[in-house]
Amino acid sequence: MRKGIHPENYRLVAFKDMSNDDVFLTKSTAVTNETLEVDGVEYPLVKMEISRTSHPYYTGKSKLVDTAGRIDKFKTKYAKFKK
């Protein structure tokens, strides 16, 4: 392998799924200013919208996530075209 092309700052990072508050630790080089305490140890925190514990493909459950009211906006916008 060539030297100097791989990042040197691998460390344990906490990834948090914001839809179900699941937290898992893995090594990463992700840059973040937030931290989270897990089992008495403080780790850098990366927040995610969806992960393996909430994605419908992995859970087998279909779940509608509408955080900004997008469906209602769409329905009202195109209601005038409805016959």
Side-chain angles (χ1 to χ4, degrees), residues 33-69:
N33 294 330
E34 299 181 72
T35 60
L36 177 71
E37 189 172 319
V38 178
D39 298 330
V41 181
E42 198 166 291
Y43 297 101
L45 172 65
V46 175
K47 295 179 180 178
M48 303 182 308
E49 294 287 327
I50 196 162
S51 72
R52 68 183 190 281
T53 59
S54 62
H55 193 282
Y57 180 81
Y58 296 108
T59 62
K61 299 176 185 173
S62 179
K63 184 169 104 174
L64 177 63
V65 179
D66 184 24
T67 57

Side-chain angles (χ1 to χ4, degrees), residues 66 68-81:
D66 184 24
R70 293 182 190 123
I71 293 173
D72 293 330
K73 288 179 187 176
F74 178 84
K75 286 181 180 178
T76 56
K77 182 177 180 179
Y78 291 100
K80 60 185 172 190
F81 298 113

